[in-house]
Amino acid sequence: MKKTALLLLVVGAICSCSKKNDTPVVPKPTPTPTPPPTQQFDYIAKIEGFRPTNGGKGKEIVQEINFNYDNQMRLVSVVEKYPNSTIQKVVESKFSYSGQTIKFVHNEHERDKSLTQGTEYYLTLDAKGKATKLVEKNYPKNTSPKTYTSEGYTYDNKGHLTEYKRSEGFTASLTWQNGNMTKWVHKSTEETETEPWRYTSYPNRTNPDLGLFLRGRMEESYWVDHLGLRSANITSGYTIMEGEEGQSIDELKYKLDAKGRPVEVEEASNGNPTWIHVITYVKK
């Protein structure tokens, strides 16, 4: 009996070891970056840009920008239309998503013949969905490609971007008050440029971020929350430094719909009307 019991014990141990050794090793999947906290956004479907005519009594369309989203409400393409242009009238640029990297190819070369192919942007995110690096690859004609990098992103305890550096040799610092980015400073060894921003009392739920988009910071407007650039309120204007030419004071005036969303923006520079923007939103 003792021999039988001992034999059974040994066999059981061998079987147990065999089971452990046969257990397949499942590789851990690459972590998917956590998106910024979910908010109720007003997703923009289209922005039409008009130039004022007849002293502001009329307007002429110049461009139409359409935004397309997937079922997760991530941008998948931006389509630019220039109905009165004598060159390329439609430009489509696309986004792709892979792990912790977002790629955006802006096909601006279709209108800008100084470029040979679309400008590529690669945004790298951490596990919380915040940007750690932004790489821009530019393809100018008759010269080698150029690469520019933004990194060293620093955020405050509310997730607002406060500092980063560029490969061209300058740093940027941002000041926040009451949830709004009030000052954007670019500093190099040669000069310092300060860009003050002003705000309305209207809450900022636009996506892409309307203020950044109208300022001409298109890529930042697409990735506003990843970059920690979303202000609590919609901007009413900013002062743009223009080197030796002085400064341009831009003011924005809004018309809102019944839901409190901006549907028309009148833009003026140094008191002179420059643009009228009409905004359409994704139907929910």
Side-chain angles (χ1 to χ4, degrees):
M1 290 294 291
K2 287 183 179 179
K3 289 183 179 180
T4 303
L6 182 60
L7 181 60
L8 289 173
L9 183 62
V10 171
V11 172
I14 292 172
C15 291
S16 176
C17 290
S18 176
K19 286 180 180 179
K20 287 181 181 178
N21 293 336
D22 290 343
T23 303
V25 177
V26 180
K28 293 182 179 180
T30 303
T32 300
T34 304
T38 303
Q39 300 181 36
Q40 185 64 39
F41 291 130
D42 295 326
Y43 290 94
I44 297 175
K46 180 171 63 176
I47 299 178
E48 296 169 282
F50 300 83
R51 288 291 193 186
T53 59
N54 297 328
K57 295 179 181 179
K59 59 184 181 181
E60 178 184 17
I61 190 164
V62 177
Q63 64 181 22
E64 176 185 312
I65 314 293
N66 293 270
F67 304 95
N68 301 304
Y69 304 86
D70 63 12
N71 57 9
Q72 299 180 51
M73 296 309 293
R74 301 180 305 183
L75 278 168
V76 292
S77 68
V78 177
V79 181
E80 307 167 44
K81 298 180 180 180
Y82 303 89
N84 298 320
S85 176
T86 57
I87 54 177
Q88 184 74 17
K89 292 182 180 292
V90 179
V91 175
E92 183 175 10
S93 302
K94 295 186 176 182
F95 296 80
S96 59
Y97 299 83
S98 177
Q100 292 172 276
T101 302
I102 305 173
K103 179 182 178 181
F104 173 57
V105 180
H106 186 197
N107 290 315
E108 56 187 332
H109 68 293
E110 295 180 5
R111 287 181 56 82
D112 185 349
K113 298 309 177 184
S114 68
L115 301 172
T116 60
Q117 67 183 73
T119 302
E120 300 169 357
Y121 297 86
Y122 298 86
L123 184 69
T124 303
L125 308 176
D126 64 15
K128 295 182 179 179
K130 286 297 186 183
T132 59
K133 181 188 291 187
L134 176 60
V135 176
E136 174 187 345
K137 292 186 177 181
N138 193 266
Y139 297 89
K141 200 171 185 178
N142 301 324
T143 186
S144 57
K146 299 184 182 299
T147 300
Y148 306 97
T149 303
S150 297
E151 56 189 343
Y153 289 99
T154 303
Y155 305 93
D156 64 18
N157 58 9
K158 294 182 179 179
H160 297 138
L161 180 64
T162 58
E163 190 176 77
Y164 64 94
K165 58 184 178 182
R166 289 276 296 185
S167 57
E168 298 96 308
F170 72 81
T171 59
S173 60
L174 298 88
T175 302
W176 295 80
Q177 293 180 2
N178 301 320
N180 294 317
M181 190 273 293
T182 56
K183 188 163 57 177
W184 201 326
V185 179
H186 296 86
K187 185 176 183 179
S188 68
T189 55
E190 300 175 353
E191 62 181 355
T192 299
E193 291 187 354
T194 301
E195 186 176 301
W197 284 53
R198 299 171 294 280
Y199 294 87
T200 67
S201 60
Y202 311 137
N204 179 27
R205 300 186 299 266
T206 56
N207 197 74
D209 185 275
L210 188 58
L212 290 170
F213 184 88
L214 297 182
R215 172 61 184 87
R217 295 185 175 275
M218 295 179 65
E219 287 72 36
E220 287 96 333
S221 77
Y222 303 151
W223 294 322
V224 56
D225 295 293
H226 290 305
L227 290 167
L229 286 171
R230 181 177 293 279
S231 289
N233 299 102
I234 294 174
T235 181
S236 62
Y238 24 75
T239 300
I240 304 170
M241 305 305 296
E242 298 180 335
E244 296 180 356
E245 298 178 7
Q247 63 184 25
S248 170
I249 301 175
D250 279 30
E251 300 293 341
L252 305 172
K253 295 182 180 180
Y254 299 87
K255 291 181 181 179
L256 309 181
D257 64 9
K259 296 180 179 180
R261 304 176 302 185
V263 291
E264 185 171 306
V265 187
E266 293 182 8
E267 184 175 355
S269 179
N270 293 330
N272 300 311
T274 53
W275 284 96
I276 299 170
H277 307 278
V278 177
I279 299 102
T280 305
Y281 293 89
V282 173
K283 294 180 180 180
K284 297 180 180 180

